[in-house]
Amino acid sequence: MNYDYIIVGAGSAGCVTANRLVTAHGKRVLVLEEGALDKGMLLKMPAGVFKMLFEGSPFIKRYTSDAQPALGGRAVSVPQGAVVGGSSSINAMAYVRGSRFDYDRWNDAVGGKGWGWDDLLPYFKRQEGNQRFDNDAHGGDGPLKVSDSRYVVNAADLFVRTMQKMGLPFTADFNAGALDGVGYMQTTTYRGERCSAATAFLHPIINRPELTLISKAKVTRLLFEGDRVVGVEYSVHGSLHQAYAAAEVILTAGVYATPRLLMLSGIGPAAHLAEHGIPVRVDLPGVGQNLQDHNSVVVSMATSGAHGYFGEDKGLRALKNGLRYLAFRDGPISSNGAETMAFVNLEDSQADPDLQIYGVGVMWPDPEGGVLSHGISLMANLVKPRSRGSVKLRSANPEDDALIDPNWLSDPSDQARLLKAMKYLRQIASTAPLAGVIREESQPGPAVQSDEQLLAYMRRTTESNYHPCGTCRMGRADDPMAVLTPDLRVNGVDGLRVFDASMMPSIISANTNATVMAVADRGVDIMMERG
C-alpha cells in the first residue's frame, strides 16, 4: 500500500502528528500501532491508572532491565503504554510543561534553532483546552482538555498547607514557565474522564478517508531505496506486510522502540550492530545512548484516620463510588490519586528546581510486602538526573525486546540529592498540619536512620516516574552523538524523522507528556516548512 506519510507508533506524538497531517495538510497517512485499540472503561476513568499499574493490564508493556550495579544488582521494571494513545492512555494524566530553562538548554544544544520556551509555547496553547486558564500562557479552546481535579482528598490539602508552612509559596499555575512552589495539579481530563492523545487528536479524524490506523502491527524494519527510507515492513498476527510512503516515515514508537527499530535497520553504533551481524547503513554512535528518566523514592506513613483513598475500591465503598461516578462523573474515581505536587531545589533555593514532590493519599506498596492501611505517601522525583543509561539490541530478531539499562543512581550526585530528599520528606511528615494525622512511618520505617541505611533503602525501592527520553537526541551538526538534526531528521538518512521523546537532548524538569505532544506539533510544522 502507498501513502504520503507513515507514522510508526500511535502514542502521544503519533496521534498529534496524524491529526496535523490530515486536518491541516490533507495527507494520506498510515499509522501503525503495536498495541491494542483504546477500548475499555478503565482507560476512561482517571482512577483506573492505579488499577492498571498495580494490578496489571493488557494495555501496559513492561520492560525489565538488566541487573543494575548502582542498585545492588536489582533489575527494574519500566512500564510503557501498549495501546492507541500510548502512555497518555494509561498515565496519571499530569499536565505539566516543565521550566522555561529546560527549553533554553534544548535551544543551546541545537545552536539556537527554534527549540526555546517561546518557540514551543504557541504549540502548547494551540493544543490546550484549559477549563480554568485562557491567557498569555494558556489556550482554552484546543482539543486537549485540561482541568482541575473534580475530587480532592484531605491528604492533598494537608500536604499543600504543610509545604506552605515550610516556606514554599503557593503556586496556582505550574505551566507558565516557572515551577517553584506547591499547588494543585491540572490533568488531561474533561468532566471526570481521561482525555488522552487518542481522545483529543486521533478519534476526531478516525473516519477520515485520508487516515488508516492498524493496531497490533509490529514494525520489523525500515525499507530503503539507496540512502532514502521509503517505507516499512510490519507484521500483523504473524503475517508480513510492506507499506510505502511517498513523502516521509516518522518514528513515534517511543524511547525504547524507536532506537531499537533504527538499529535493526542498520542505523546506529557500528560496533554494536556488528555484534548482531546487522549491516551498517549509517554509523550513528548516539542511537540508544543518552537515556534519561526521572526516578523517585517514597516515604510512606500510616494515618490515624481516613484522609486518602484506602478502602475506596472495596465493598460498599466501591459500589457507592461507582454509582457516584456513573451519575455525576466525580468522587474518588474521577481523581488521578495525586492531586498535588511541589517543586524545590534543596541545594539552592534560588535555582531551578531539581525535585518534584507528590503528596499521595495512599500507603505506597512495599516491594517486599506489608499490610496496607489508611495512609499518605510522599514521593520525591529527581527531575534533573545526571545519570545516563542506554538502549541496546538483545539480538537481530525483531521479536526480541531491546535491552534497557536505566542506570539510575550511577552518578554520585544523584544519590546525594535523593538522600537529602529522603530526609526532607521526613521533615515534611513531621511538620503540622500533616504531622497531626501521622500514626507511624511504614517505609522506610523508623529503624532506618543512618545515611547508609537510607541509601540501601533507595537502591532497593527506587523506581521510574515514567518519563524516559533522549535516546535519539537532536544536536548541532558538529555533535558526534547527535542522532537528529534540529529539524528532527535522522542524520545520514533521507525521508526519516523522529518526533517522540527520544529527540530530547536533556530531560525536562516535570512530567513529559505535554511536551511530547507540543514537539510533535512543531515537528509537523517544521517538516511542512511552516516552523
Side-chain angles (χ1 to χ4, degrees):
M1 293 292 292
N2 296 299
Y3 303 87
D4 295 318
Y5 292 87
I6 296 174
I7 299 170
V8 180
S12 296
C15 290
V16 170
T17 303
N19 180 285
R20 294 282 293 140
L21 287 173
V22 169
T23 61
H25 302 285
K27 300 300 182 181
R28 296 169 301 148
V29 177
L30 170 65
V31 181
L32 297 169
E33 168 55 42
E34 187 173 344
L37 295 174
D38 56 327
K39 295 181 178 180
M41 278 301 294
L42 277 182
L43 296 177
K44 296 181 179 180
M45 297 175 176
V49 59
F50 283 101
K51 287 286 186 183
M52 291 187 287
L53 283 175
F54 292 147
E55 298 179 14
S57 168
F59 300 127
I60 294 178
K61 179 180 179 66
R62 291 188 178 275
Y63 290 90
T64 301
S65 77
D66 279 353
Q68 298 289 290
L71 305 183
R74 178 169 71 97
V76 297
S77 174
V78 184
Q80 293 277 278
V83 59
V84 170
S87 292
S88 78
S89 291
I90 55 95
N91 66 4
M93 295 149 283
Y95 184 81
V96 196
R97 299 172 178 172
S99 161
R100 171 182 290 273
F101 300 110
D102 294 327
Y103 302 98
D104 289 345
R105 283 187 286 273
W106 284 17
N107 215 28
D108 289 344
V110 298
K113 299 293 186 179
W115 288 100
W117 170 265
D118 292 334
D119 300 300
L120 279 166
L121 182 59
Y123 297 94
F124 285 120
K125 291 180 63 177
R126 177 163 75 184
Q127 293 179 351
E128 185 184 17
N130 200 299
Q131 304 303 291
R132 174 156 53 102
F133 296 112
D134 196 346
N135 53 34
D136 290 345
H138 292 277
D141 301 313
L144 182 70
K145 302 307 178 186
V146 177
S147 65
D148 301 333
S149 178
R150 294 165 72 91
Y151 184 83
V152 177
V153 291
N154 188 44
D157 292 334
L158 290 170
F159 173 74
V160 170
R161 291 170 56 201
T162 299
M163 296 303 287
Q164 291 177 82
K165 289 290 181 83
M166 294 179 67
L168 262 69
F170 179 81
T171 299
D173 183 7
F174 286 113
N175 290 309
L179 290 174
D180 301 291
V182 62
Y184 295 89
M185 180 190 305
Q186 286 203 300
T187 57
T188 49
T189 55
Y190 183 62
R191 297 181 178 176
E193 290 191 2
R194 176 192 295 272
C195 182
S196 69
T199 303
F201 299 106
L202 201 61
H203 292 176
I205 63 169
I206 200 68
N207 293 319
R208 292 275 297 256
E210 302 96 326
L211 178 71
T212 302
L213 169 66
I214 303 177
S215 61
K216 299 286 188 179
K218 187 181 185 75
V219 177
T220 55
R221 65 186 175 102
L222 302 170
L223 303 176
F224 290 81
E225 287 183 1
D227 293 332
R228 183 175 185 83
V229 173
V230 296
V232 299
E233 181 182 84
Y234 65 96
S235 66
V236 178
H237 305 302
S239 177
L240 280 179
H241 306 267
Q242 292 185 342
Y244 293 88
E248 299 196 41
V249 173
I250 303 160
L251 302 185
T252 56
V255 173
Y256 306 132
T258 286
R260 172 180 165 275
L261 179 58
L262 288 175
M263 289 186 283
L264 286 172
S265 304
I267 303 169
H272 180 55
L273 300 183
E275 291 174 8
H276 299 290
I278 298 173
V280 179
R281 287 186 171 272
V282 184
D283 180 10
L284 285 182
V287 173
Q289 301 302 303
N290 193 49
L291 174 62
Q292 300 160 64
D293 194 4
H294 297 150
N295 64 293
S296 58
V297 291
V298 173
V299 171
S300 191
M301 291 80 61
T303 58
S304 55
H307 299 279
Y309 289 99
F310 179 74
E312 296 291 343
D313 61 342
K314 300 291 190 297
L316 292 176
R317 297 293 303 171
L319 177 61
K320 176 184 175 182
N321 291 331
L323 292 172
R324 178 176 176 177
Y325 181 77
L326 290 173
F328 305 110
R329 287 298 191 267
D330 68 0
I333 294 176
S334 70
S335 171
N336 72 342
E339 300 100 359
T340 59
M341 60 184 173
F343 289 91
V344 298
N345 189 314
L346 299 180
E347 296 181 330
D348 182 354
S349 61
Q350 303 303 309
D352 205 33
D354 66 347
L355 290 173
Q356 179 184 31
I357 298 176
Y358 301 100
V360 187
V362 294
M363 283 179 64
W364 208 253
D366 188 323
E368 295 186 354
V371 178
L372 300 179
S373 66
H374 293 295
I376 295 173
S377 294
L378 302 175
M379 176 183 289
N381 188 32
L382 188 62
V383 294
K384 282 189 170 59
R386 294 171 189 163
S387 300
R388 297 291 183 266
S390 65
V391 174
K392 295 183 178 180
L393 292 177
R394 189 180 302 272
S395 75
N397 184 349
E399 297 301 317
D400 287 343
D401 287 336
L403 287 170
I404 311 299
D405 179 15
N407 209 26
W408 300 329
L409 302 185
S410 59
D411 189 297
S413 72
D414 289 353
Q415 295 190 33
R417 286 181 293 149
L418 270 186
L419 177 62
K420 187 176 290 188
M422 287 281 297
K423 296 175 181 179
Y424 185 65
L425 297 183
R426 281 179 159 174
Q427 185 182 350
I428 297 169
S430 63
T431 302
L434 189 58
V437 304
I438 302 300
R439 181 164 54 84
E440 64 180 355
E441 183 180 290
S442 59
Q443 288 190 74
V448 178
Q449 292 295 330
S450 70
D451 285 1
E452 192 49 51
Q453 288 174 321
L454 288 169
L455 284 168
Y457 167 76
M458 285 165 44
R459 295 184 189 106
R460 179 175 68 84
T461 61
T462 191
E463 58 185 53
S464 175
N465 204 234
Y466 320 131
H467 306 142
C469 68
T471 51
C472 297
R473 67 175 174 85
M474 61 178 178
R476 293 182 176 92
D478 60 355
D479 180 352
M481 295 301 288
V483 177
L484 308 178
T485 64
D487 57 359
L488 305 182
R489 298 175 186 269
V490 176
N491 278 312
V493 184
D494 291 330
L496 182 65
R497 303 192 198 225
V498 174
F499 285 2
D500 61 31
S502 305
M503 57 71 67
M504 296 186 188
S506 54
I507 197 165
I508 66 166
S509 305
N511 312 69
T512 52
N513 192 52
T515 299
V516 167
M517 290 183 280
V519 163
D521 203 345
R522 176 150 176 70
V524 173
D525 270 3
I526 292 172
M527 183 171 64
M528 309 307 283
E529 298 183 349
R530 297 188 179 191

